[in-house]
Amino acid sequence: MNIKSDNRPIGVYDSGLGGLSVWRELHAKLPNESLTYLADGANCPYGGRPKEEIRRFADEAVGKLIADGAKMVVVACNTATAAAIDFLREKYSDTPIVGMEPAVKPAAMATRSGVVGVLATAGSLGGDLFLKTSARYADRTRFIAAVGEGFVEIVEQSQENTSEAEIVVRRVVEPLIEEGADQIVLGCTHYPFLRKVIERVIGDREVAIIDPAPAVARRVEQLLDQFELRADTNNKAQYAFQTFASDDYLKRLQDKALEIISR
Ligand code: DGL
């Protein structure tokens, strides 16, 4: 049997640097796949913006990735997914588009206290996607939603290792644990870069952190197979980076990606 292959890149898009938490997973799990990462950067953060505006940004970014030859696009941004995924799938119907799902299901399955904290942006928490998915498990789980106020800015400015970061994270995470949450869902792709800080706040209490990136990478793999889009097994993957922001921003994006790979 002749299995088709496709060496074009997978496009990965986020408002900024956060989507690199998904890129990291794709890079690790799909070593033959070329990846083109587009960080808007010029309009980040998206979190508190109106849905229509985010949809316009997402349209521009995803349109560019596809025009540049992406065979599939991963919207590595919960906020853009919440605002625009249906619109994008309809407009770019020839290209498979993967979005971010809030990982409320695994959290609802794993919780013993029955309380789950969900950290995300205001845009994601107010969207239908979160409301619908959390309603599905509401009979057995109490979801406490909290906006990670200031988290995106910390990651964008590479301030994860500062004492200010711990103050900002503690202010949001501590009340969730005090309310009894034993699972914390990272519902924004910037937040996994604050994982160590969140772990410090948790300390020796039994609270699990759930990052949806591995599940997204598995979904990408399924779709590559379904649409016969996998790259050749001997394809030498290329990694490209783009932004709508400055050259300085592009440099920070590339440096962060490099740091991830060399870890
Ligand atoms: N990384 C994005 C998300 O997953 C958006 C953060 C922002 O731009 O506010 O929601």
Side-chain angles (χ1 to χ4, degrees):
M1 198 178 72
N2 205 355
I3 297 174
K4 281 195 233 154
S5 62
D6 190 329
N7 291 342
R8 289 178 299 159
I10 298 171
V12 183
Y13 151 64
D14 180 40
S15 64
L17 308 179
L20 286 174
S21 63
V22 177
W23 180 90
R24 164 173 63 194
E25 205 61 34
L26 297 171
H27 176 271
K29 297 276 162 57
L30 301 166
N32 304 317
E33 297 294 340
S34 292
L35 303 171
T36 298
Y37 186 98
L38 170 58
D40 176 336
N43 302 296
C44 185
Y46 282 6
R49 292 179 184 271
K51 192 172 163 175
E52 293 67 34
E53 194 179 29
I54 299 170
R55 199 179 292 168
R56 203 157 32 77
F57 298 151
D59 185 15
E60 193 185 342
V62 172
K64 179 168 191 334
L65 285 167
I66 293 173
D68 288 352
K71 62 183 174 184
M72 182 189 290
V73 173
V74 180
V75 179
C77 175
N78 294 72
T79 314
T81 302
I85 198 77
D86 293 342
F87 165 83
L88 294 169
R89 286 190 177 133
E90 202 171 306
K91 177 159 178 182
Y92 303 103
S93 55
D94 290 340
T95 308
I97 300 180
V98 178
M100 298 299 300
E101 281 240 6
V104 296
K105 182 180 173 183
M109 299 300 168
T111 182
R112 277 164 291 126
S113 66
V115 184
V116 167
V118 182
L119 293 173
T121 67
S124 297
L125 294 173
D128 284 348
L129 197 59
F130 171 64
L131 297 176
K132 275 192 201 139
T133 20
S134 53
R136 234 178 276 152
Y137 303 97
D139 56 333
R140 70 174 94 172
T141 311
R142 183 159 75 91
F143 292 100
I144 311 175
V147 174
E149 212 64 72
F151 288 21
V152 170
E153 289 80 354
I154 290 172
V155 175
E156 286 293 308
Q157 289 152 21
S158 299
Q159 298 291 305
E160 292 97 321
N161 297 321
T162 61
S163 51
E164 286 75 27
E166 188 158 336
I167 294 169
V168 168
V169 168
R170 188 177 296 280
R171 193 177 296 143
V172 178
V173 172
E174 187 61 39
L176 300 176
I177 302 173
E178 278 168 18
E179 286 269 333
D182 66 352
Q183 309 287 318
I184 292 181
V185 174
L186 304 182
C188 168
T189 54
H190 279 72
Y191 299 176
F193 289 109
L194 289 164
R195 190 183 186 111
K196 285 215 174 71
V197 189
I198 298 173
E199 280 169 355
R200 270 206 297 282
V201 172
I202 293 172
D204 56 10
R205 294 172 287 190
E206 293 220 346
V207 179
I209 299 172
I210 304 187
D211 175 1
V216 173
R218 284 196 296 276
R219 180 70 187 140
V220 168
E221 271 197 285
Q222 276 172 4
L223 290 178
L224 287 174
D225 287 336
Q226 186 179 326
F227 291 96
E228 300 186 306
L229 289 173
R230 274 201 194 253
D232 277 330
T233 44
N234 56 2
N235 183 48
K236 187 155 173 16
Q238 313 272 331
Y239 303 110
F241 298 90
Q242 303 178 355
T243 180
F244 294 141
S246 62
D247 288 350
D248 175 57
Y249 192 88
L250 182 62
K251 171 94 175 53
R252 284 197 288 130
L253 170 62
Q254 289 166 327
D255 286 351
K256 203 170 182 76
L258 216 60
E259 192 190 311
I260 289 172
I261 299 178
S262 54
R263 237 177 247 157

